[in-house]
Amino acid sequence: MPVPRITKEELRQQLDTDAASVAVVDARLKYPYEHSTVRLPGAIRFAPGATGLPGVAPERELVVYDSDPEEITARSAAILLMKLGYRVRVLEGGISAWVGANLPIETKDAPKPAGAKA
């Protein structure tokens, strides 16, 4: 099933002009997600094995990203979400392309190394 894509510039413009029309979805695998300290602004977590996005109306467009420049995980998540009735596009180049272009990010906690003091 083909999955439409969106560039980082197109997503930035959409977020700047009508952020309420789009939900950004973080579909990174467990390790890349948990060990990262950044995410796209307002991103909703869609963990591997999830079966939907509770609280997200089907009429909202979704933009899914992952940490793989080939967007493999994001495409798989997008296909599942499309089958659930969502309109979905995948962010070209994933979070790496977004961060590499110095676009806005949010910080998040990452696990502390074993033995580290809190």
Side-chain angles (χ1 to χ4, degrees):
M1 172 182 283
V3 178
R5 296 168 79 209
I6 185 171
T7 67
K8 59 190 176 297
E9 296 84 8
E10 291 169 329
L11 177 57
R12 171 68 189 267
Q13 181 178 3
Q14 189 169 359
L15 291 171
D16 286 347
T17 59
D18 189 12
S21 69
V22 64
V24 179
V25 178
D26 187 328
R28 288 179 283 178
L29 295 174
K30 182 179 178 179
Y31 186 88
Y33 176 79
E34 288 182 354
H35 292 272
S36 172
T37 58
V38 299
R39 66 176 165 228
L40 272 65
I44 301 164
R45 179 74 173 131
F46 185 76
T51 57
L53 287 172
V56 178
E59 59 272 6
R60 277 184 88 186
E61 178 184 7
L62 305 180
V63 174
V64 181
Y65 71 90
D66 64 12
S67 56
D68 179 1
E70 300 295 320
E71 303 126 21
I72 294 169
T73 303
R75 279 194 314 240
S76 295
I79 289 168
L80 172 65
L81 292 165
M82 289 167 74
K83 288 178 180 177
L84 294 173
Y86 290 97
R87 292 178 299 121
V88 185
R89 292 192 282 173
V90 169
L91 178 62
E92 288 182 11
I95 194 169
S96 299
W98 185 269
V99 171
N102 292 318
L103 293 169
I105 57 168
E106 291 179 348
T107 58
K108 67 175 207 55
D109 291 332
K112 305 260 186 285
K117 298 191 187 222

